[in-house]
Amino acid sequence: MILLDGKALSQKIKEEIKHKSKELKTKGIEPCLAVILVGTDPASETYVNNKAKACELCGIKSLVYKLDESTTQNELLALINTLNYDDSVDGILVQLPLPKHINKNLILESIASSKDVDGFHPINVGYLNLGLESGFLPCTPLGVMKLLKSYDIKIEGLDCVVIGASNIVGRPMATLLLNADASVSVCHIKTRDLNFYTQKADLIISATGCAHLLKADMVKEGVIVVDVGITRIGNSLVGDVDFKEVSKKASYITPVPGGVGPMTIAMLLENTIKSAKNRLSNFATF
Ligand code: GUN
């Protein structure tokens, strides 16, 4: 069994990003990511703080807007509009989930697709579904693909099962795998017989947040397992996979923590650098 070490790979990527930020600065561009948090959800607050910290460590300017829970939809739209037109801002990220009185889809559509480093805007979702690389790809699925690639795992022709059909992870993950010529099944909360799918799978990617959902008797010998789930139980973080047992059968498996999580942040930084490079090439055309 080989551990898919996202922490180590993300550190390597972050070193490369530091160099790219430096290079952009010599050309007059300071890469900049704006992160907006509405409300005080503790998990979201931790994610936002981690994103800001990672930016600063890699030479990317971070603007963090922590807005009150009572912020209106129009106030949030006004802030996004200001950031859309601010030429010094390369990326805009609105942390999800949003409070119930705010229409999430409306907010995600209001972010300029050229600054949508989360890859959630319908234009970027469209590029992904067309198999085009011109837009931004969602950070977690992109991080999973990079992690698999770094271990030379070939996706083409594999029988893949994605568990979870969210817009943030499951759906874009399935699309990236399909774009890489895998056969893909997407399972979700209404799937009647999860075992039927997982037992045949060469590659399983689980993103449900159900602690220890995937047990050893649900997988075949030699399976590749990527665990995107994170559940806090007491003081420890637990994935969707019963790691102790499943790792005995797996050929490759991600740990939780230290697997997919650090890759997500590294991809957010990469997308921000990509946007800053686009800013540079737009300058060059004037
Ligand atoms: N909430 C959970 N994951 C994410 C993510 O990748 N991006 C944003 N904006 N919010 C999230």
Side-chain angles (χ1 to χ4, degrees), residues 108-127:
L108 295 179
E109 276 186 56
S110 76
I111 296 170
S113 62
S114 60
K115 297 190 179 189
D116 169 39
V117 286
D118 253 334
F120 295 163
H121 190 285
I123 287 184
N124 287 318
V125 176
Y127 282 132

Side-chain angles (χ1 to χ4, degrees), residues 245-258:
E245 295 305 318
V246 174
S247 60
K248 292 177 187 162
K249 290 176 90 175
S251 55
Y252 295 87
I253 188 167
T254 57
V256 173

Side-chain angles (χ1 to χ4, degrees), residues 58-88:
C58 291
I60 295 173
K61 184 177 172 186
S62 87
L63 303 172
V64 178
Y65 298 86
K66 291 189 176 172
L67 308 181
D68 199 85
E69 180 86 23
S70 65
T71 301
T72 66
Q73 183 167 285
N74 280 344
E75 285 166 337
L76 181 55
L77 286 170
L79 172 59
I80 293 169
N81 192 50
T82 303
L83 296 168
N84 281 342
Y85 283 100
D86 184 339
D87 287 338
S88 68

